[in-house]
Amino acid sequence: MKAVLFDAELKLANLPKPCFTGNESVIRLLKAGICNTDLEITRGYFGFKGVLGHEFVGVVEASKNTSLIGQRVVGEINSGCGHCEYCRKNLQRHCPDRTVLGILNRDGAFREYLTLPESNLHLVPDSVTDDEAVFVEPLAAACEILDQVEIEPDQRVAVLGDGKLGLLVTMVLNQSIRQLYLIGKHPEKMELARELGVETVEPGFIQKLSRSFDFVVEASGSPQGWNQALHLVKPRGTVVLKSTFHGQVAFNPAPIVVDEVTVIGSRCGRFEPALQLLRDKKVDPARLLQHSFPLGQALEAFELARQSGVLKVVLQSG
Amino acid sequence: MKAVLFDAELKLANLPKPCFTGNESVIRLLKAGICNTDLEITRGYFGFKGVLGHEFVGVVEASKNTSLIGQRVVGEINSGCGHCEYCRKNLQRHCPDRTVLGILNRDGAFREYLTLPESNLHLVPDSVTDDEAVFVEPLAAACEILDQVEIEPDQRVAVLGDGKLGLLVTMVLNQSIRQLYLIGKHPEKMELARELGVETVEPGFIQKLSRSFDFVVEASGSPQGWNQALHLVKPRGTVVLKSTFHGQVAFNPAPIVVDEVTVIGSRCGRFEPALQLLRDKKVDPARLLQHSFPLGQALEAFELARQSGVLKVVLQSG
């Protein structure tokens, strides 16, 4: 079967189809999204070697749970040991012995067939299209913010960065926050936010917005994001750190103390709230779909995904 | 009257005694402690010019509230505008127009007589000595941690830094935390912690303690403290940032996201819990008293306070 491998370089490979061994379910891929994390892996971060990809929708081909066979599913990407302090709290994504689909010790979704434990799978409602379902994983990461912090509807919230993650966060927060601002620089993405009724701010105005937001979600993926977020947040406010910028950032920690600011790192989220938003047609992430490529054209797909300003690039099986 | 001024350099001055104008209470100084913030001001941080000092105990000499006259008091150091969003939540310490005793737009306590609004004053119970009462302000800052975060008794907590603030934090947390560790390097301070039943750890062991604490309180005041705290904290754990290290620190923000770590800045606290701990004889901060000097020997007192490893240096009136 076709697969997209990273092993010092990104390449197409012909791998054996995974067998059903009685444990993990085997899933036939329908669509899989290219995430910034995939791009970072191809730059050598994470040290991962294997099949990439962790955002997908597919059809169960084999499973211990026969009622799943033939069903369309999405899958949580972390698989824990099942008995550590994190797994016991249903926080498998922090299990020290976890595997992570296409990121850590587990081959990913950019292949015609993949495997995951049955407990990771979620049925996709019929009313949700494949193009929507492929966004469940990053949409769940956006929803994670509301599992971590309580935002009052009239508090001022800024989302820093108008990339894929920033826009998904904007869509999610726009459900409940009245004073929501997206700070970004790409005209067509800012227009999309305005169509949702969200205020947009150009980065040139950041200096003037010192200490003016109760919450700042840093989703810029840029080295400037950390200090910009600390500049924007009010005393006693909260910075939610979403983007995994890799590299050294220099800053002065004293203002965090003086202003008693809270910084919360935020990564993957539960799939249920994301599926609920899609089922209820509350968000339309498929608007972020830029282009689809067959698996066999993955190298071209990655080339497009790496370009600045490009939204979601999807690989499809067949 | 004698006063200790900072204006480009630290000096003794003879200033007029403040008059009672009908507004702020006039307080005759008994004792005042030299804090690291005072030392930082003399290094040019904060840009403050005026009478230094914000940790004190004194006797009310004049006040609108005549029942206060002759009473021994300590005083909260922040005075807010009274009507902004922070003052309305009793968070005067974050009022954008606040004055701060001896730190921001308000002369401090290193003088024979000082003034503060009546609402800032707290009576000192008879059972609390002057040497204990002079610690109420920094002890309140230590208590602030428990106003900000909820720590379960069986969670592992590390205090990073065995200076005055680290030891006060250790004394406060030791009331409720069973697995408390002080990380420091001064043998006599570590011995003091051990006498309280607290585990002590040398900095050389920090590397081995990666991701092993639910809470890390950074009270080291050193540029290494930030990265050490992030190294020590567990996934989903919390770093409480207490020390105002001034200067640039370089770090990689990605682990905060991946491990969903929370960082909370923590500054001044309410005086009530600190006074309660002293009234109940639960903590004995006077053990941290290194030396007392008369106000007239303030320059010698500052010289001693600047030396590494020195604990609390106090100025006394008369």
Side-chain angles (χ1 to χ4, degrees):
Chain A
M1 65 172 186
K2 284 199 249 338
V4 184
L5 265 180
F6 178 73
D7 180 6
E9 61 174 358
L10 189 71
K11 53 193 166 191
L12 282 175
N14 191 6
L15 297 185
K17 178 181 165 184
C19 299
F20 177 58
T21 62
N23 281 316
E24 301 201 346
S25 300
V26 177
I27 301 142
R28 175 169 57 81
L29 184 71
L30 292 170
K31 300 199 174 200
I34 299 177
C35 166
N36 281 350
T37 301
D38 299 314
L39 302 178
E40 287 176 12
I41 290 172
T42 66
R43 292 184 197 113
Y45 296 123
F46 300 98
F48 176 74
K49 289 178 180 182
V51 178
L52 290 180
H54 56 275
E55 303 175 357
F56 76 93
V57 54
V59 173
V60 177
E61 187 173 271
S63 177
K64 270 186 296 193
N65 179 346
T66 53
S67 75
L68 280 178
I69 295 170
Q71 300 286 329
R72 210 160 45 119
V73 293
V74 288
E76 306 227 16
I77 70 176
N78 295 275
S79 176
C81 70
H83 46 75
C84 72
E85 66 169 307
Y86 295 103
C87 287
R88 286 197 306 270
K89 291 181 198 161
N90 211 18
L91 288 170
Q92 286 82 356
R93 61 183 178 275
H94 293 294
C95 169
D97 297 321
R98 70 186 177 273
T99 61
V100 188
L101 188 70
I103 297 176
L104 182 68
N105 293 331
R106 173 183 284 276
D107 275 336
F110 295 162
R111 47 182 170 157
E112 291 177 79
Y113 294 88
L114 65 144
T115 71
L116 269 179
E118 184 196 324
S119 58
N120 283 49
L121 302 181
H122 294 257
L123 292 176
V124 178
D126 288 344
S127 62
V128 175
T129 67
D130 292 349
D131 282 345
E132 290 170 332
V134 80
F135 282 95
V136 168
E137 198 279 336
L139 194 60
C143 292
E144 167 75 350
I145 296 170
L146 297 177
D147 266 4
Q148 293 178 289
V149 298
E150 201 164 328
I151 308 179
E152 304 291 329
D154 60 345
Q155 289 186 303
R156 279 167 62 92
V157 181
V159 177
L160 193 51
D162 61 359
K164 298 181 283 291
L165 185 58
L167 288 170
L168 288 174
V169 168
T170 300
M171 287 177 177
V172 168
L173 297 183
N174 196 37
Q175 301 302 307
S176 54
I177 309 299
R178 285 194 289 266
Q179 297 193 64
L180 181 62
Y181 297 76
L182 177 65
I183 302 174
K185 58 186 177 187
H186 299 96
E188 71 288 4
K189 299 180 185 176
M190 301 292 267
E191 179 56 32
L192 196 156
R194 279 191 294 271
E195 285 172 23
L196 299 173
V198 173
E199 296 278 344
T200 58
V201 178
E202 308 270 334
F205 289 91
I206 287 178
Q207 275 311 313
K208 291 186 184 162
L209 292 170
S210 168
R211 299 170 158 211
S212 59
F213 292 98
D214 298 284
F215 288 84
V216 181
V217 180
E218 203 298 280
S220 74
S222 89
Q224 291 81 37
W226 170 265
N227 278 307
Q228 286 175 338
L230 290 178
H231 171 82
L232 290 165
V233 73
K234 275 184 183 178
R236 281 257 163 168
T238 299
V239 171
V240 179
L241 212 58
K242 281 293 323 175
S243 59
T244 47
F245 167 75
H246 287 266
Q248 296 284 302
V249 165
F251 85 114
N252 174 5
I256 293 184
V257 179
V258 172
D259 287 339
E260 295 193 314
V261 164
T262 298
V263 177
I264 300 186
S266 176
R267 190 168 43 114
C268 303
R270 297 180 298 118
F271 274 27
E272 291 85 349
L275 281 163
Q276 186 72 44
L277 283 173
L278 291 175
R279 187 185 293 116
D280 297 346
K281 306 286 176 204
K282 297 275 192 184
V283 297
D284 183 10
R287 293 190 64 177
L288 306 186
L289 213 158
Q290 181 103 27
H291 203 71
S292 294
F293 289 88
L295 260 183
Q297 291 179 29
L299 301 190
E300 293 90 323
F302 266 75
E303 201 169 316
L304 176 63
R306 279 191 199 102
Q307 290 173 25
S308 168
V310 166
L311 286 169
K312 185 60 77 183
V313 177
V314 161
L315 298 173
Q316 52 195 21
S317 197
Chain B
M1 65 171 187
K2 284 199 257 319
V4 184
L5 264 181
F6 179 73
D7 181 6
E9 60 175 358
L10 189 71
K11 51 193 167 193
L12 282 175
N14 191 6
L15 298 184
K17 178 182 164 183
C19 298
F20 177 60
T21 62
N23 282 316
E24 301 202 346
S25 300
V26 178
I27 300 143
R28 175 168 57 81
L29 183 72
L30 293 170
K31 300 198 174 201
I34 299 177
C35 167
N36 280 350
T37 302
D38 300 314
L39 303 178
E40 286 175 13
I41 289 171
T42 67
R43 291 186 197 108
Y45 296 123
F46 300 99
F48 176 73
K49 289 178 180 181
V51 178
L52 290 180
H54 56 275
E55 303 175 356
F56 76 93
V57 54
V59 174
V60 177
E61 187 173 272
S63 177
K64 270 185 296 195
N65 179 348
T66 52
S67 75
L68 280 178
I69 295 170
Q71 300 286 329
R72 211 160 45 119
V73 293
V74 290
E76 307 226 14
I77 70 176
N78 296 274
S79 176
C81 69
H83 46 76
C84 72
E85 64 169 308
Y86 294 103
C87 288
R88 285 198 305 270
K89 291 180 198 160
N90 210 19
L91 287 171
Q92 287 81 356
R93 60 184 180 274
H94 293 294
C95 169
D97 297 322
R98 70 186 177 273
T99 62
V100 188
L101 188 70
I103 297 176
L104 183 68
N105 293 331
R106 173 183 283 276
D107 276 334
F110 294 163
R111 47 181 170 157
E112 291 177 78
Y113 295 88
L114 64 143
T115 71
L116 269 179
E118 184 196 325
S119 58
N120 283 49
L121 302 182
H122 294 258
L123 292 176
V124 178
D126 289 342
S127 62
V128 176
T129 67
D130 293 349
D131 282 346
E132 291 170 332
V134 80
F135 282 95
V136 167
E137 198 278 336
L139 193 60
C143 291
E144 168 75 351
I145 296 170
L146 297 177
D147 266 4
Q148 293 178 289
V149 299
E150 201 164 328
I151 309 180
E152 304 291 328
D154 61 343
Q155 289 187 303
R156 279 167 62 94
V157 181
V159 177
L160 194 51
D162 60 359
K164 298 181 285 292
L165 184 58
L167 287 170
L168 288 174
V169 168
T170 300
M171 288 177 177
V172 167
L173 297 184
N174 195 37
Q175 301 303 308
S176 54
I177 309 299
R178 286 194 288 267
Q179 296 194 63
L180 181 61
Y181 297 76
L182 176 64
I183 303 175
K185 59 184 176 185
H186 299 96
E188 71 288 3
K189 300 179 185 176
M190 301 292 266
E191 179 56 33
L192 196 155
R194 279 192 294 272
E195 285 172 22
L196 299 173
V198 173
E199 296 276 345
T200 59
V201 178
E202 308 268 335
F205 288 91
I206 287 177
Q207 274 311 311
K208 291 185 183 161
L209 293 170
S210 167
R211 298 172 159 209
S212 58
F213 293 97
D214 298 284
F215 288 84
V216 180
V217 181
E218 203 300 278
S220 74
S222 89
Q224 291 80 37
W226 171 264
N227 278 306
Q228 286 175 338
L230 291 178
H231 172 81
L232 290 165
V233 73
K234 275 184 182 177
R236 281 256 166 170
T238 298
V239 171
V240 179
L241 212 58
K242 281 291 327 173
S243 58
T244 47
F245 167 74
H246 286 267
Q248 296 282 304
V249 164
F251 85 114
N252 174 4
I256 294 183
V257 179
V258 172
D259 287 339
E260 294 192 315
V261 165
T262 297
V263 177
I264 300 186
S266 176
R267 191 168 43 115
C268 302
R270 297 180 300 117
F271 274 26
E272 291 85 348
L275 281 164
Q276 186 72 43
L277 284 174
L278 291 175
R279 187 185 292 116
D280 297 346
K281 305 287 177 204
K282 297 274 194 186
V283 297
D284 183 11
R287 293 190 63 176
L288 306 187
L289 212 159
Q290 180 104 26
H291 203 72
S292 294
F293 290 87
L295 259 183
Q297 290 180 28
L299 301 190
E300 292 90 323
F302 267 75
E303 200 168 317
L304 177 63
R306 278 191 200 101
Q307 290 174 25
S308 169
V310 166
L311 287 168
K312 184 60 78 183
V313 177
V314 161
L315 299 173
Q316 51 195 21
S317 196

